Amino acid sequence: MNGNNDHRADYFGCYGQTTEDALGQLLWVVEQALMAHESGDYQALRAVITDSLAGKITPAGFQRAHETLAPELGRQVSKRLLGALNRGGNPRLLFVARYEGAQDDILISVTFSNHTYPPLIDELWIE
C-alpha cells in the first residue's frame, strides 16, 4: 500500500486527532477503573463505565469479585499498553500488567463506547 492508503495500526475512535490526544483521555479512565477494582470502590467504577456495563456488574457482584481477586492479585506493580484495536467501531486498549501477588502476567482489555463523552468503558476484562 502506498502512504496515502495506509490504515493506522492502532485505533482510538473519536477521542482525538492524534494518538497522544486520545490516549491522554482514555488512559486516565483506565486508571480510575483499575484503582476502583483494586480498592473495591463500586461507585468509583460506576463513574467511568456505561449504563450497559453497569447493568452487568451489580454492586454485590463487584464486591464478591473484589473479595475473591484482590487478595490473590495484590497491588498493581506495573502496566504496559500493548496496543489498540477496533472492536465493532469502538476503541479497545490491551495492557499487560504485573501484580505483586500474581506470578503470571495479567491481560487487561478495556473497550470504550465511541459514543460517550467523557469516554466511558463498555467492556473491562482482567484475566
Side-chain angles (χ1 to χ4, degrees), residues 42 46 49-59 121:
Y42 179 80
R46 182 62 185 97
I49 63 175
T50 62
D51 291 341
S52 174
L53 183 56
K56 298 172 188 170
I57 302 174
T58 65
I121 296 171

PDB file of all heavy atoms in Angstrom, residues 42 46 49-59 121:
ATOM      1  N   TYR A  42     -17.078   0.463  44.254  1.00  0.00           N
ATOM      2  CA  TYR A  42     -18.038   0.334  43.153  1.00  0.00           C
ATOM      3  C   TYR A  42     -18.446   1.691  42.593  1.00  0.00           C
ATOM      4  O   TYR A  42     -18.582   1.844  41.381  1.00  0.00           O
ATOM      5  CB  TYR A  42     -19.289  -0.437  43.585  1.00  0.00           C
ATOM      6  CG  TYR A  42     -20.293  -0.566  42.463  1.00  0.00           C
ATOM      7  CD1 TYR A  42     -20.120  -1.531  41.476  1.00  0.00           C
ATOM      8  CD2 TYR A  42     -21.393   0.285  42.379  1.00  0.00           C
ATOM      9  CE1 TYR A  42     -21.021  -1.643  40.423  1.00  0.00           C
ATOM     10  CE2 TYR A  42     -22.295   0.181  41.332  1.00  0.00           C
ATOM     11  CZ  TYR A  42     -22.112  -0.781  40.359  1.00  0.00           C
ATOM     12  OH  TYR A  42     -23.002  -0.872  39.305  1.00  0.00           O
ATOM     13  N   ARG A  46     -18.363   2.836  38.820  1.00  0.00           N
ATOM     14  CA  ARG A  46     -19.614   3.230  38.148  1.00  0.00           C
ATOM     15  C   ARG A  46     -19.462   4.560  37.428  1.00  0.00           C
ATOM     16  O   ARG A  46     -20.080   4.786  36.386  1.00  0.00           O
ATOM     17  CB  ARG A  46     -20.748   3.293  39.189  1.00  0.00           C
ATOM     18  CG  ARG A  46     -22.094   3.648  38.597  1.00  0.00           C
ATOM     19  CD  ARG A  46     -22.533   2.598  37.585  1.00  0.00           C
ATOM     20  NE  ARG A  46     -23.754   2.971  36.918  1.00  0.00           N
ATOM     21  CZ  ARG A  46     -23.831   3.553  35.725  1.00  0.00           C
ATOM     22  NH1 ARG A  46     -22.735   3.861  35.042  1.00  0.00           N
ATOM     23  NH2 ARG A  46     -25.001   3.833  35.186  1.00  0.00           N
ATOM     24  N   ILE A  49     -17.971   3.789  33.764  1.00  0.00           N
ATOM     25  CA  ILE A  49     -18.493   2.737  32.895  1.00  0.00           C
ATOM     26  C   ILE A  49     -19.856   3.134  32.335  1.00  0.00           C
ATOM     27  O   ILE A  49     -20.555   3.968  32.907  1.00  0.00           O
ATOM     28  CB  ILE A  49     -18.583   1.371  33.611  1.00  0.00           C
ATOM     29  CG1 ILE A  49     -19.549   1.408  34.787  1.00  0.00           C
ATOM     30  CG2 ILE A  49     -17.189   0.898  34.041  1.00  0.00           C
ATOM     31  CD1 ILE A  49     -19.778   0.047  35.470  1.00  0.00           C
ATOM     32  N   THR A  50     -20.218   2.521  31.221  1.00  0.00           N
ATOM     33  CA  THR A  50     -21.510   2.798  30.596  1.00  0.00           C
ATOM     34  C   THR A  50     -22.649   2.183  31.411  1.00  0.00           C
ATOM     35  O   THR A  50     -22.425   1.285  32.220  1.00  0.00           O
ATOM     36  CB  THR A  50     -21.566   2.218  29.167  1.00  0.00           C
ATOM     37  OG1 THR A  50     -21.415   0.798  29.232  1.00  0.00           O
ATOM     38  CG2 THR A  50     -20.512   2.836  28.265  1.00  0.00           C
ATOM     39  N   ASP A  51     -23.849   2.656  31.157  1.00  0.00           N
ATOM     40  CA  ASP A  51     -25.032   2.071  31.794  1.00  0.00           C
ATOM     41  C   ASP A  51     -25.161   0.596  31.417  1.00  0.00           C
ATOM     42  O   ASP A  51     -25.578  -0.221  32.235  1.00  0.00           O
ATOM     43  CB  ASP A  51     -26.299   2.823  31.384  1.00  0.00           C
ATOM     44  CG  ASP A  51     -26.358   4.224  31.968  1.00  0.00           C
ATOM     45  OD1 ASP A  51     -25.631   4.511  32.950  1.00  0.00           O
ATOM     46  OD2 ASP A  51     -27.146   5.042  31.441  1.00  0.00           O
ATOM     47  N   SER A  52     -24.803   0.276  30.183  1.00  0.00           N
ATOM     48  CA  SER A  52     -24.876  -1.110  29.724  1.00  0.00           C
ATOM     49  C   SER A  52     -23.976  -2.013  30.562  1.00  0.00           C
ATOM     50  O   SER A  52     -24.403  -3.081  31.010  1.00  0.00           O
ATOM     51  CB  SER A  52     -24.478  -1.178  28.252  1.00  0.00           C
ATOM     52  OG  SER A  52     -24.404  -2.512  27.818  1.00  0.00           O
ATOM     53  N   LEU A  53     -22.740  -1.594  30.796  1.00  0.00           N
ATOM     54  CA  LEU A  53     -21.829  -2.399  31.613  1.00  0.00           C
ATOM     55  C   LEU A  53     -22.287  -2.416  33.072  1.00  0.00           C
ATOM     56  O   LEU A  53     -22.220  -3.455  33.730  1.00  0.00           O
ATOM     57  CB  LEU A  53     -20.396  -1.886  31.504  1.00  0.00           C
ATOM     58  CG  LEU A  53     -19.338  -2.689  32.265  1.00  0.00           C
ATOM     59  CD1 LEU A  53     -19.348  -4.159  31.848  1.00  0.00           C
ATOM     60  CD2 LEU A  53     -17.954  -2.084  32.038  1.00  0.00           C
ATOM     61  N   ALA A  54     -22.800  -1.306  33.552  1.00  0.00           N
ATOM     62  CA  ALA A  54     -23.295  -1.253  34.931  1.00  0.00           C
ATOM     63  C   ALA A  54     -24.457  -2.221  35.131  1.00  0.00           C
ATOM     64  O   ALA A  54     -24.629  -2.766  36.221  1.00  0.00           O
ATOM     65  CB  ALA A  54     -23.724   0.164  35.298  1.00  0.00           C
ATOM     66  N   GLY A  55     -25.225  -2.477  34.080  1.00  0.00           N
ATOM     67  CA  GLY A  55     -26.309  -3.436  34.168  1.00  0.00           C
ATOM     68  C   GLY A  55     -25.815  -4.867  34.341  1.00  0.00           C
ATOM     69  O   GLY A  55     -26.541  -5.728  34.820  1.00  0.00           O
ATOM     70  N   LYS A  56     -24.560  -5.109  33.954  1.00  0.00           N
ATOM     71  CA  LYS A  56     -23.972  -6.448  34.063  1.00  0.00           C
ATOM     72  C   LYS A  56     -23.158  -6.619  35.340  1.00  0.00           C
ATOM     73  O   LYS A  56     -22.880  -7.738  35.751  1.00  0.00           O
ATOM     74  CB  LYS A  56     -23.069  -6.714  32.859  1.00  0.00           C
ATOM     75  CG  LYS A  56     -23.803  -6.695  31.543  1.00  0.00           C
ATOM     76  CD  LYS A  56     -22.824  -6.764  30.392  1.00  0.00           C
ATOM     77  CE  LYS A  56     -23.533  -6.551  29.068  1.00  0.00           C
ATOM     78  NZ  LYS A  56     -22.605  -6.379  27.963  1.00  0.00           N
ATOM     79  N   ILE A  57     -22.747  -5.514  35.940  1.00  0.00           N
ATOM     80  CA  ILE A  57     -21.920  -5.551  37.151  1.00  0.00           C
ATOM     81  C   ILE A  57     -22.717  -4.933  38.289  1.00  0.00           C
ATOM     82  O   ILE A  57     -22.784  -3.714  38.416  1.00  0.00           O
ATOM     83  CB  ILE A  57     -20.596  -4.770  36.958  1.00  0.00           C
ATOM     84  CG1 ILE A  57     -19.799  -5.323  35.799  1.00  0.00           C
ATOM     85  CG2 ILE A  57     -19.781  -4.806  38.244  1.00  0.00           C
ATOM     86  CD1 ILE A  57     -18.548  -4.510  35.471  1.00  0.00           C
ATOM     87  N   THR A  58     -23.310  -5.756  39.103  1.00  0.00           N
ATOM     88  CA  THR A  58     -24.072  -5.246  40.241  1.00  0.00           C
ATOM     89  C   THR A  58     -23.100  -4.896  41.368  1.00  0.00           C
ATOM     90  O   THR A  58     -21.988  -5.436  41.428  1.00  0.00           O
ATOM     91  CB  THR A  58     -25.064  -6.297  40.755  1.00  0.00           C
ATOM     92  OG1 THR A  58     -24.319  -7.420  41.274  1.00  0.00           O
ATOM     93  CG2 THR A  58     -26.008  -6.762  39.658  1.00  0.00           C
ATOM     94  N   PRO A  59     -23.485  -4.023  42.272  1.00  0.00           N
ATOM     95  CA  PRO A  59     -22.613  -3.734  43.411  1.00  0.00           C
ATOM     96  C   PRO A  59     -22.248  -4.990  44.194  1.00  0.00           C
ATOM     97  O   PRO A  59     -21.090  -5.161  44.588  1.00  0.00           O
ATOM     98  CB  PRO A  59     -23.443  -2.759  44.252  1.00  0.00           C
ATOM     99  CG  PRO A  59     -24.342  -2.083  43.263  1.00  0.00           C
ATOM    100  CD  PRO A  59     -24.675  -3.152  42.252  1.00  0.00           C
ATOM    101  N   ILE A 121     -16.140   3.270  29.767  1.00  0.00           N
ATOM    102  CA  ILE A 121     -15.780   1.891  29.472  1.00  0.00           C
ATOM    103  C   ILE A 121     -17.044   1.072  29.250  1.00  0.00           C
ATOM    104  O   ILE A 121     -17.962   1.107  30.062  1.00  0.00           O
ATOM    105  CB  ILE A 121     -14.954   1.304  30.634  1.00  0.00           C
ATOM    106  CG1 ILE A 121     -13.632   2.066  30.756  1.00  0.00           C
ATOM    107  CG2 ILE A 121     -14.724  -0.193  30.439  1.00  0.00           C
ATOM    108  CD1 ILE A 121     -12.836   1.718  32.006  1.00  0.00           C
TER     109      ILE A 121
END
